[in-house]
Amino acid sequence: MTFERAAAFAPINIALVKYWGKRDPVLNLPYASSLSVALAELGSLTVVAPSAELDANIMVVNDEPVDGAGLIKVGRVMRLIRQMAGNTEVRAGIRGVNTVPTAQGLASSASAFAALATAGCAAYGVDADETTLSRIARQGSGSASRSVHGGWVIWHKGERDDGLDSIGEQLHDADYWPLRALVAHVDIGRKKVSSTEGMQQSARTSPFFGAWVETCERDLRDCRWAIAQRDIDALANVVEANCLAMHSVMMATRPPLMYWQPATLAVIHAVRRLRAEGFECLFTIDAGPSVVVLTGQGSVERVAAEIGRIEGVARVTQTRIGGGAHLVPNG
Ligand code: 2P0
């Protein structure tokens, strides 16, 4: 059997109903389902090159070697792919490039593992559909199950202990509702606590954790309704409430997980004020200080200009809702 180098790009996704808590930390099975949109252009390009000369997988991201917990997750995904390729022992050299800052709470692990699953399956000759790719990517990073798909995506939590039903599914493609996305970058360097660790601590110690899981079920229903109606006010209500509920759970974790910086809060207030003034916009924040703002097409320039002026916002990246993971010929 011969294996061939393959490259894939996968987008980052921003969750509108968040994933924060695992019922199974090895298989990355969540307590609750979550919902996201894929962001165009921002993401990971990953090249997988199988080589019979390697004793172990090696991976470099943005020219830095991956080791420790990151390499263990990569190993888990590559082992799955090798099993599907007939239990081959051939390891791979893997090179990734992220177009978003790594480990700053902007889901670079989601795009990285979605791209790894896609390129890895192609390199080892595994014929995997999107559902299978999502299941594989999830085992590297939970939110990667969503980055396989483009547009508006739900990650079903699933009921099974083996996780076979814990998969991403596209609800609508990228053109369904052409909102714009602004990323207000608030820099503080690398995160001290990874999401993987943080959500385990929250599940163990946050007094609000049980209420959070229940809230997500309700928010998922409301979010799907708002998307079905293309109703941005209804979407803003549920997305911002869900984000703030997750950050309340984080802040009530012991020791507390405080991801916000002063600029984070300033962006929140600016978005709420602009919406009250009639601009179509809403905010959401992952496990980091940066803020993602979704806007209507007619509101994007004004909202971008206002949040770009906020002290502590290093830059604002503007993008659209985009497609899912795909192979890149000659990548
Ligand atoms: C999300 N986050 O739904 C939420 C919101 C962060 C805050 O998914 O341990 O990197 O690899 O499964 O997927 C970040 O968690 O964690 C995340 P693992 P992951 O986007």
Side-chain angles (χ1 to χ4, degrees):
M1 197 173 226
T2 57
F3 303 120
E4 285 190 13
R5 179 182 186 278
F9 176 83
I12 68 168
N13 70 76
I14 182 73
L16 306 177
V17 175
K18 308 287 191 187
Y19 152 53
W20 196 252
K22 311 175 200 240
R23 62 186 163 88
D24 183 324
V26 176
L27 293 173
N28 289 336
L29 303 179
Y31 279 110
S33 301
S34 55
L35 194 154
S36 63
V37 281
L39 298 188
E41 287 139 30
L42 305 175
S44 306
L45 178 69
T46 300
V47 182
V48 175
S51 165
E53 274 149 42
L54 291 171
D55 300 328
N57 296 310
I58 41 173
M59 182 164 186
V60 173
V61 174
N62 290 356
D63 292 328
E64 285 191 26
V66 176
D67 52 20
L71 194 60
I72 291 170
K73 291 177 182 184
V74 169
R76 199 182 294 156
V77 168
M78 295 307 292
R79 195 172 317 115
L80 272 173
I81 293 172
R82 288 200 311 276
Q83 282 167 359
M84 294 172 81
N87 287 320
T88 173
E89 290 294 319
V90 174
R91 302 300 201 266
I94 305 159
R95 178 174 288 277
V97 179
N98 288 333
T99 60
V100 283
T102 303
Q104 282 190 14
L106 271 176
S108 58
S109 70
S111 54
F113 280 105
L116 179 67
T118 306
C121 283
Y124 282 85
V126 174
D127 186 15
D129 60 13
E130 281 198 351
T131 303
T132 306
L133 290 174
S134 172
R135 200 180 282 128
I136 296 170
R138 184 199 76 232
Q139 296 181 57
S141 184
S143 52
S145 62
R146 300 187 308 237
S147 273
V148 167
H149 308 274
W152 303 76
V153 180
I154 185 167
W155 171 17
H156 299 283
K157 68 182 163 93
E159 304 290 340
R160 297 173 56 118
D161 289 341
D162 62 9
L164 285 180
D165 54 353
S166 186
I167 47 172
E169 180 197 2
Q170 185 183 67
L171 292 174
H172 303 285
D173 69 16
D175 299 328
Y176 167 76
W177 187 8
L179 297 180
R180 299 288 153 160
L182 299 169
V183 184
H185 297 271
V186 179
D187 289 332
I188 47 146
R190 254 181 116 80
K191 278 196 293 188
K192 285 196 193 73
V193 181
S194 69
S195 291
T196 306
E197 244 174 277
M199 64 177 88
Q200 292 292 91
Q201 288 172 12
S202 292
R204 271 197 309 271
T205 68
S206 179
F208 306 148
F209 191 76
W212 159 247
V213 174
E214 284 173 29
T215 301
C216 284
E217 297 294 329
R218 202 169 51 242
D219 288 349
L220 186 73
R221 211 177 47 228
D222 293 351
C223 193
R224 289 185 75 157
W225 184 89
I227 295 165
Q229 308 297 316
R230 296 189 182 87
D231 181 335
I232 196 159
D233 287 328
L235 190 69
N237 283 338
V238 62
V239 169
E240 293 183 357
N242 186 266
C243 164
L244 295 175
M246 180 184 73
H247 282 273
S248 305
V249 170
M250 291 164 159
M251 289 180 201
T253 297
R254 297 169 197 198
L257 298 165
M258 292 277 289
Y259 291 111
W260 296 3
Q261 292 294 311
T264 312
L265 192 54
V267 175
I268 291 175
H269 282 300
V271 169
R272 287 166 59 87
R273 174 177 54 77
L274 285 160
R275 195 163 65 248
E277 290 171 10
F279 294 96
E280 291 186 331
C281 54
L282 62 91
F283 69 82
T284 188
I285 306 154
D286 278 351
S290 296
V291 185
V292 175
V293 180
L294 294 184
T295 78
Q297 282 173 303
S299 299
V300 65
E301 295 306 334
R302 173 67 185 274
V303 176
E306 294 259 348
I307 61 179
R309 271 201 286 276
I310 291 170
E311 193 184 335
V313 173
R315 66 193 176 284
V316 177
T317 307
Q318 192 179 139
T319 188
R320 318 168 264 111
I321 296 174
H326 55 268
L327 291 171
V328 179
N330 311 315

